[in-house]
Amino acid sequence: QIVDLDVKRNRNREALRALHKDAEPEGKAMVCFGNMFIELPKAQTKEMLRKDQESLDEEISKLRKELRVKVNRLFEAQGKPELKGFNLNPMTAEEMKLINRILEG
């Protein structure tokens, strides 16, 4: 599911980039919805793609968080020990700044 959503996210990103590069910013763009094409204003198309990107990012993040729990349950069911370091989260930019200050210090 994560891979499928990521493929869709990449396609949306490519479409946004193509619309951004277009020499004619006003006008209409052909958009595929299922098995039909609809001509929409480019501004509306860009906004729809941005909203779709945001929802895809949220869904992917949610699935990744759930994946950790599911992997731990799988290991528990198999009688294997829990993965160490698997529940780690990346440091924020502010935390990295503080660490760099301490190390320079």
Side-chain angles (χ1 to χ4, degrees), residues 46-62:
K46 285 180 186 179
E47 187 60 31
M48 283 179 18
L49 287 170
R50 281 192 198 108
K51 286 181 182 177
D52 197 29
Q53 285 293 85
E54 290 173 6
S55 67
L56 286 170
D57 287 338
E58 290 173 10
E59 184 69 21
I60 288 171
S61 295
K62 184 179 119 191

Side-chain angles (χ1 to χ4, degrees), residues 27-76:
K28 297 192 175 199
M30 294 295 285
V31 182
C32 180
F33 287 105
N35 60 355
M36 65 182 165
F37 283 91
I38 299 176
E39 195 171 27
L40 295 172
K42 287 182 182 176
Q44 183 181 358
T45 303
K46 285 180 186 179
E47 187 60 31
M48 283 179 18
L49 287 170
R50 281 192 198 108
K51 286 181 182 177
D52 197 29
Q53 285 293 85
E54 290 173 6
S55 67
L56 286 170
D57 287 338
E58 290 173 10
E59 184 69 21
I60 288 171
S61 295
K62 184 179 119 191
L63 287 171
R64 285 187 176 149
K65 286 178 186 174
E66 292 173 359
L67 182 64
R68 293 176 180 179
V69 175
K70 290 177 181 178
V71 167
N72 282 335
R73 275 196 230 140
L74 176 64
F75 271 63
E76 183 180 314

